[in-house]
Amino acid sequence: MNNSIVTEFMILGFIQEPELQGVLFFVFLFIYLIAFLGNMLIVIAIVCNTTLHTPMYVLLLALAAADIVCTTSIIPKLLETMLTSRKTISYGGCMSQLFFFTWSLGAEMVLFTTMAYDRYVAICFPLRYSAIMNHNMCVALLSIVMAIAVTSSWVHTGLMLRLTFCGSNTIDHFFCEIPPLLALSCSPVRINEVMVYVADIILAVGDFALTCISYSFIIAAILRIRTTEGKRKAFSTCSSHLIVVSLYYSPVIYTYIRPASSYTFERDKVVAALYTLVSPTLNPIVYSFRNKDMQTGIMKVFALLKHL
């Protein structure tokens, strides 16, 4: 039940200096276009090319979809607040933004782990890969990802809807994230903080540990490769994956492992930008555009567009 007295929130945005608003608007617009178009291109390429209908690329499609949801739920509203004098978001709009953001956050963390497992099976058990990562396994993994993401999102959004906001309605952030909203609540937020902490330990810390374990087995298998060129390419791929994964998990763990009272708004806006803006932009480049099969699929998409 919604007990909120506040009907809308004021979003202060990323930065409040008027002279920098114009520059940042074009920076964030550029980031959004790169992230949205890059991930949408991956979705179209995989859907339209039957040769890419394999577990690895289906998981990449799911990651691209999660990135699209994440950026689209945040950046358009951010751009609106920077371009116009309207810096408010309705209570319902804020809760909707929170729901879709937490869904994409949960989905992406579990997907990173699932993708690491897929690569572990492919590299460590190449002869058994097709048998292990079959259609049923792929459907099961995606179902687990969706179930965890939806459950996490419903729990956090549902607990937020129970809170009363009767004082300040100013969110010192660029979107409706859990910590700044908890800081505005007139109700006790202990249950919310406990659930955020539990989710952070299970999803962020747990998935990060499983991802690192998978890559440690992958690296061990790479060391057994005899050719120097093969080792170089494999290490290059693994290192880039680990860098992107670390850039995502580290700020998430840092943000949600702490109580709302210790939230430092100016610094944590920059931290939040890493997993809401930077990571969705880097994911297509690191995971997809460097892949030869994906490059071929994308070229086929462009070829089809020329004939339209």
mmCIF file of all heavy atoms in Angstrom, residues 185-217:
data_model
loop_
_atom_site.group_PDB
_atom_site.id
_atom_site.type_symbol
_atom_site.label_atom_id
_atom_site.label_comp_id
_atom_site.label_asym_id
_atom_site.label_seq_id
_atom_site.Cartn_x
_atom_site.Cartn_y
_atom_site.Cartn_z
ATOM 1 N N SER A 185 13.200 8.953 3.544
ATOM 2 C CA SER A 185 12.026 8.349 4.175
ATOM 3 C C SER A 185 11.796 8.833 5.601
ATOM 4 O O SER A 185 12.735 9.020 6.368
ATOM 5 C CB SER A 185 12.170 6.821 4.172
ATOM 6 O OG SER A 185 11.114 6.223 4.889
ATOM 7 N N CYS A 186 10.499 9.023 5.929
ATOM 8 C CA CYS A 186 10.121 9.349 7.305
ATOM 9 C C CYS A 186 9.881 8.081 8.115
ATOM 10 O O CYS A 186 9.719 8.137 9.330
ATOM 11 C CB CYS A 186 8.835 10.180 7.319
ATOM 12 S SG CYS A 186 8.949 11.723 6.397
ATOM 13 N N SER A 187 9.815 6.934 7.422
ATOM 14 C CA SER A 187 9.569 5.652 8.092
ATOM 15 C C SER A 187 10.879 4.952 8.419
ATOM 16 O O SER A 187 11.923 5.270 7.835
ATOM 17 C CB SER A 187 8.735 4.741 7.169
ATOM 18 O OG SER A 187 7.584 5.397 6.714
ATOM 19 N N PRO A 188 10.846 3.987 9.333
ATOM 20 C CA PRO A 188 12.044 3.175 9.596
ATOM 21 C C PRO A 188 12.443 2.406 8.336
ATOM 22 O O PRO A 188 11.592 1.838 7.648
ATOM 23 C CB PRO A 188 11.585 2.222 10.704
ATOM 24 C CG PRO A 188 10.412 2.895 11.328
ATOM 25 C CD PRO A 188 9.733 3.653 10.248
ATOM 26 N N VAL A 189 13.716 2.408 8.036
ATOM 27 C CA VAL A 189 14.187 1.775 6.797
ATOM 28 C C VAL A 189 15.067 0.560 7.089
ATOM 29 O O VAL A 189 15.769 0.073 6.208
ATOM 30 C CB VAL A 189 14.978 2.789 5.933
ATOM 31 C CG1 VAL A 189 14.084 3.920 5.489
ATOM 32 C CG2 VAL A 189 16.200 3.316 6.688
ATOM 33 N N ARG A 190 15.015 0.065 8.322
ATOM 34 C CA ARG A 190 15.887 -1.041 8.718
ATOM 35 C C ARG A 190 15.672 -2.280 7.846
ATOM 36 O O ARG A 190 16.635 -2.900 7.405
ATOM 37 C CB ARG A 190 15.636 -1.386 10.191
ATOM 38 C CG ARG A 190 16.544 -2.493 10.726
ATOM 39 C CD ARG A 190 18.004 -2.091 10.664
ATOM 40 N NE ARG A 190 18.871 -3.138 11.199
ATOM 41 C CZ ARG A 190 20.186 -3.132 11.103
ATOM 42 N NH1 ARG A 190 20.790 -2.124 10.479
ATOM 43 N NH2 ARG A 190 20.901 -4.095 11.624
ATOM 44 N N ILE A 191 14.407 -2.636 7.585
ATOM 45 C CA ILE A 191 14.117 -3.826 6.780
ATOM 46 C C ILE A 191 14.652 -3.641 5.360
ATOM 47 O O ILE A 191 15.241 -4.561 4.778
ATOM 48 C CB ILE A 191 12.603 -4.114 6.753
ATOM 49 C CG1 ILE A 191 12.107 -4.449 8.165
ATOM 50 C CG2 ILE A 191 12.290 -5.258 5.795
ATOM 51 C CD1 ILE A 191 10.607 -4.668 8.239
ATOM 52 N N ASN A 192 14.454 -2.442 4.818
ATOM 53 C CA ASN A 192 14.969 -2.160 3.477
ATOM 54 C C ASN A 192 16.475 -2.328 3.420
ATOM 55 O O ASN A 192 17.011 -2.937 2.477
ATOM 56 C CB ASN A 192 14.604 -0.733 3.066
ATOM 57 C CG ASN A 192 13.104 -0.507 2.982
ATOM 58 O OD1 ASN A 192 12.414 -0.516 3.999
ATOM 59 N ND2 ASN A 192 12.601 -0.312 1.767
ATOM 60 N N GLU A 193 17.169 -1.790 4.417
ATOM 61 C CA GLU A 193 18.628 -1.865 4.432
ATOM 62 C C GLU A 193 19.108 -3.301 4.578
ATOM 63 O O GLU A 193 20.095 -3.694 3.939
ATOM 64 C CB GLU A 193 19.186 -0.990 5.558
ATOM 65 C CG GLU A 193 19.028 0.490 5.327
ATOM 66 C CD GLU A 193 19.691 1.319 6.412
ATOM 67 O OE1 GLU A 193 19.854 0.800 7.540
ATOM 68 O OE2 GLU A 193 20.044 2.483 6.148
ATOM 69 N N VAL A 194 18.412 -4.081 5.385
ATOM 70 C CA VAL A 194 18.791 -5.490 5.557
ATOM 71 C C VAL A 194 18.632 -6.248 4.247
ATOM 72 O O VAL A 194 19.521 -7.021 3.841
ATOM 73 C CB VAL A 194 17.942 -6.156 6.665
ATOM 74 C CG1 VAL A 194 18.141 -7.671 6.650
ATOM 75 C CG2 VAL A 194 18.318 -5.592 8.024
ATOM 76 N N MET A 195 17.520 -6.023 3.542
ATOM 77 C CA MET A 195 17.286 -6.718 2.278
ATOM 78 C C MET A 195 18.265 -6.277 1.194
ATOM 79 O O MET A 195 18.700 -7.078 0.372
ATOM 80 C CB MET A 195 15.842 -6.493 1.807
ATOM 81 C CG MET A 195 14.806 -7.178 2.681
ATOM 82 S SD MET A 195 15.138 -8.945 2.943
ATOM 83 C CE MET A 195 15.091 -9.563 1.270
ATOM 84 N N VAL A 196 18.625 -4.996 1.200
ATOM 85 C CA VAL A 196 19.636 -4.509 0.258
ATOM 86 C C VAL A 196 20.975 -5.171 0.547
ATOM 87 O O VAL A 196 21.692 -5.602 -0.371
ATOM 88 C CB VAL A 196 19.761 -2.968 0.344
ATOM 89 C CG1 VAL A 196 21.020 -2.488 -0.393
ATOM 90 C CG2 VAL A 196 18.536 -2.303 -0.260
ATOM 91 N N TYR A 197 21.299 -5.266 1.819
ATOM 92 C CA TYR A 197 22.566 -5.892 2.233
ATOM 93 C C TYR A 197 22.590 -7.375 1.843
ATOM 94 O O TYR A 197 23.586 -7.864 1.297
ATOM 95 C CB TYR A 197 22.740 -5.744 3.745
ATOM 96 C CG TYR A 197 24.061 -6.248 4.272
ATOM 97 C CD1 TYR A 197 25.204 -5.458 4.204
ATOM 98 C CD2 TYR A 197 24.158 -7.513 4.836
ATOM 99 C CE1 TYR A 197 26.423 -5.919 4.686
ATOM 100 C CE2 TYR A 197 25.369 -7.995 5.321
ATOM 101 C CZ TYR A 197 26.502 -7.188 5.245
ATOM 102 O OH TYR A 197 27.701 -7.657 5.710
ATOM 103 N N VAL A 198 21.483 -8.072 2.090
ATOM 104 C CA VAL A 198 21.392 -9.497 1.749
ATOM 105 C C VAL A 198 21.525 -9.689 0.243
ATOM 106 O O VAL A 198 22.259 -10.575 -0.231
ATOM 107 C CB VAL A 198 20.060 -10.094 2.256
ATOM 108 C CG1 VAL A 198 19.843 -11.502 1.678
ATOM 109 C CG2 VAL A 198 20.041 -10.137 3.773
ATOM 110 N N ALA A 199 20.816 -8.861 -0.523
ATOM 111 C CA ALA A 199 20.881 -8.951 -1.982
ATOM 112 C C ALA A 199 22.284 -8.655 -2.487
ATOM 113 O O ALA A 199 22.767 -9.299 -3.432
ATOM 114 C CB ALA A 199 19.878 -7.984 -2.612
ATOM 115 N N ASP A 200 22.950 -7.696 -1.864
ATOM 116 C CA ASP A 200 24.308 -7.337 -2.283
ATOM 117 C C ASP A 200 25.276 -8.487 -2.024
ATOM 118 O O ASP A 200 26.135 -8.782 -2.856
ATOM 119 C CB ASP A 200 24.763 -6.080 -1.533
ATOM 120 C CG ASP A 200 25.945 -5.400 -2.211
ATOM 121 O OD1 ASP A 200 25.977 -5.379 -3.456
ATOM 122 O OD2 ASP A 200 26.841 -4.913 -1.500
ATOM 123 N N ILE A 201 25.128 -9.136 -0.871
ATOM 124 C CA ILE A 201 26.007 -10.262 -0.541
ATOM 125 C C ILE A 201 25.761 -11.434 -1.484
ATOM 126 O O ILE A 201 26.698 -12.031 -2.030
ATOM 127 C CB ILE A 201 25.802 -10.710 0.927
ATOM 128 C CG1 ILE A 201 26.279 -9.613 1.885
ATOM 129 C CG2 ILE A 201 26.549 -12.013 1.193
ATOM 130 C CD1 ILE A 201 27.757 -9.317 1.824
ATOM 131 N N ILE A 202 24.477 -11.756 -1.703
ATOM 132 C CA ILE A 202 24.145 -12.928 -2.522
ATOM 133 C C ILE A 202 24.396 -12.665 -3.999
ATOM 134 O O ILE A 202 25.073 -13.450 -4.682
ATOM 135 C CB ILE A 202 22.678 -13.341 -2.301
ATOM 136 C CG1 ILE A 202 22.478 -13.803 -0.858
ATOM 137 C CG2 ILE A 202 22.278 -14.455 -3.279
ATOM 138 C CD1 ILE A 202 21.036 -14.102 -0.509
ATOM 139 N N LEU A 203 23.846 -11.555 -4.521
ATOM 140 C CA LEU A 203 23.939 -11.296 -5.949
ATOM 141 C C LEU A 203 25.289 -10.722 -6.357
ATOM 142 O O LEU A 203 25.943 -11.246 -7.268
ATOM 143 C CB LEU A 203 22.816 -10.343 -6.379
ATOM 144 C CG LEU A 203 21.398 -10.906 -6.347
ATOM 145 C CD1 LEU A 203 20.407 -9.866 -6.805
ATOM 146 C CD2 LEU A 203 21.288 -12.145 -7.228
ATOM 147 N N ALA A 204 25.704 -9.636 -5.703
ATOM 148 C CA ALA A 204 26.935 -8.972 -6.122
ATOM 149 C C ALA A 204 28.180 -9.754 -5.707
ATOM 150 O O ALA A 204 28.960 -10.206 -6.553
ATOM 151 C CB ALA A 204 26.984 -7.550 -5.561
ATOM 152 N N VAL A 205 28.356 -9.936 -4.403
ATOM 153 C CA VAL A 205 29.548 -10.634 -3.913
ATOM 154 C C VAL A 205 29.545 -12.094 -4.357
ATOM 155 O O VAL A 205 30.566 -12.620 -4.840
ATOM 156 C CB VAL A 205 29.639 -10.547 -2.370
ATOM 157 C CG1 VAL A 205 30.854 -11.311 -1.875
ATOM 158 C CG2 VAL A 205 29.715 -9.090 -1.919
ATOM 159 N N GLY A 206 28.402 -12.761 -4.228
ATOM 160 C CA GLY A 206 28.303 -14.172 -4.606
ATOM 161 C C GLY A 206 28.552 -14.397 -6.085
ATOM 162 O O GLY A 206 29.354 -15.259 -6.474
ATOM 163 N N ASP A 207 27.881 -13.625 -6.937
ATOM 164 C CA ASP A 207 28.060 -13.778 -8.387
ATOM 165 C C ASP A 207 29.467 -13.396 -8.825
ATOM 166 O O ASP A 207 30.039 -14.026 -9.725
ATOM 167 C CB ASP A 207 27.035 -12.926 -9.140
ATOM 168 C CG ASP A 207 25.674 -13.587 -9.200
ATOM 169 O OD1 ASP A 207 25.626 -14.793 -9.473
ATOM 170 O OD2 ASP A 207 24.665 -12.906 -8.983
ATOM 171 N N PHE A 208 30.021 -12.364 -8.209
ATOM 172 C CA PHE A 208 31.391 -11.953 -8.547
ATOM 173 C C PHE A 208 32.378 -13.067 -8.206
ATOM 174 O O PHE A 208 33.289 -13.361 -8.986
ATOM 175 C CB PHE A 208 31.743 -10.667 -7.803
ATOM 176 C CG PHE A 208 33.066 -10.069 -8.214
ATOM 177 C CD1 PHE A 208 33.443 -10.026 -9.540
ATOM 178 C CD2 PHE A 208 33.932 -9.541 -7.263
ATOM 179 C CE1 PHE A 208 34.656 -9.471 -9.933
ATOM 180 C CE2 PHE A 208 35.149 -8.998 -7.636
ATOM 181 C CZ PHE A 208 35.507 -8.954 -8.969
ATOM 182 N N ALA A 209 32.184 -13.708 -7.061
ATOM 183 C CA ALA A 209 33.063 -14.809 -6.657
ATOM 184 C C ALA A 209 32.946 -15.984 -7.621
ATOM 185 O O ALA A 209 33.966 -16.558 -8.048
ATOM 186 C CB ALA A 209 32.723 -15.256 -5.230
ATOM 187 N N LEU A 210 31.715 -16.342 -8.001
ATOM 188 C CA LEU A 210 31.512 -17.441 -8.941
ATOM 189 C C LEU A 210 32.100 -17.116 -10.310
ATOM 190 O O LEU A 210 32.682 -17.990 -10.980
ATOM 191 C CB LEU A 210 30.020 -17.748 -9.073
ATOM 192 C CG LEU A 210 29.346 -18.382 -7.853
ATOM 193 C CD1 LEU A 210 27.839 -18.478 -8.060
ATOM 194 C CD2 LEU A 210 29.926 -19.769 -7.571
ATOM 195 N N THR A 211 31.959 -15.863 -10.730
ATOM 196 C CA THR A 211 32.527 -15.437 -12.015
ATOM 197 C C THR A 211 34.046 -15.547 -11.996
ATOM 198 O O THR A 211 34.661 -16.048 -12.955
ATOM 199 C CB THR A 211 32.111 -13.990 -12.334
ATOM 200 O OG1 THR A 211 30.688 -13.889 -12.359
ATOM 201 C CG2 THR A 211 32.669 -13.541 -13.678
ATOM 202 N N CYS A 212 34.656 -15.093 -10.909
ATOM 203 C CA CYS A 212 36.119 -15.168 -10.782
ATOM 204 C C CYS A 212 36.603 -16.621 -10.740
ATOM 205 O O CYS A 212 37.648 -16.954 -11.323
ATOM 206 C CB CYS A 212 36.582 -14.423 -9.526
ATOM 207 S SG CYS A 212 36.419 -12.628 -9.650
ATOM 208 N N ILE A 213 35.839 -17.489 -10.072
ATOM 209 C CA ILE A 213 36.200 -18.907 -10.019
ATOM 210 C C ILE A 213 36.163 -19.515 -11.423
ATOM 211 O O ILE A 213 37.079 -20.261 -11.819
ATOM 212 C CB ILE A 213 35.248 -19.678 -9.075
ATOM 213 C CG1 ILE A 213 35.507 -19.273 -7.624
ATOM 214 C CG2 ILE A 213 35.423 -21.194 -9.234
ATOM 215 C CD1 ILE A 213 34.480 -19.803 -6.646
ATOM 216 N N SER A 214 35.117 -19.186 -12.187
ATOM 217 C CA SER A 214 35.012 -19.698 -13.556
ATOM 218 C C SER A 214 36.203 -19.246 -14.397
ATOM 219 O O SER A 214 36.803 -20.050 -15.129
ATOM 220 C CB SER A 214 33.701 -19.220 -14.202
ATOM 221 O OG SER A 214 32.574 -19.767 -13.555
ATOM 222 N N TYR A 215 36.560 -17.975 -14.276
ATOM 223 C CA TYR A 215 37.676 -17.459 -15.070
ATOM 224 C C TYR A 215 39.019 -18.011 -14.595
ATOM 225 O O TYR A 215 39.962 -18.115 -15.388
ATOM 226 C CB TYR A 215 37.675 -15.934 -15.055
ATOM 227 C CG TYR A 215 36.762 -15.342 -16.111
ATOM 228 C CD1 TYR A 215 35.554 -14.747 -15.768
ATOM 229 C CD2 TYR A 215 37.108 -15.396 -17.456
ATOM 230 C CE1 TYR A 215 34.710 -14.230 -16.727
ATOM 231 C CE2 TYR A 215 36.270 -14.872 -18.427
ATOM 232 C CZ TYR A 215 35.074 -14.289 -18.055
ATOM 233 O OH TYR A 215 34.233 -13.779 -19.019
ATOM 234 N N SER A 216 39.119 -18.374 -13.326
ATOM 235 C CA SER A 216 40.368 -18.982 -12.857
ATOM 236 C C SER A 216 40.571 -20.349 -13.511
ATOM 237 O O SER A 216 41.697 -20.704 -13.908
ATOM 238 C CB SER A 216 40.358 -19.115 -11.329
ATOM 239 O OG SER A 216 39.367 -20.043 -10.907
ATOM 240 N N PHE A 217 39.480 -21.123 -13.664
ATOM 241 C CA PHE A 217 39.568 -22.403 -14.382
ATOM 242 C C PHE A 217 39.863 -22.178 -15.857
ATOM 243 O O PHE A 217 40.622 -22.936 -16.475
ATOM 244 C CB PHE A 217 38.268 -23.193 -14.221
ATOM 245 C CG PHE A 217 38.119 -23.868 -12.891
ATOM 246 C CD1 PHE A 217 37.150 -23.461 -11.985
ATOM 247 C CD2 PHE A 217 38.952 -24.922 -12.532
ATOM 248 C CE1 PHE A 217 37.018 -24.080 -10.755
ATOM 249 C CE2 PHE A 217 38.828 -25.562 -11.297
ATOM 250 C CZ PHE A 217 37.858 -25.132 -10.403
#
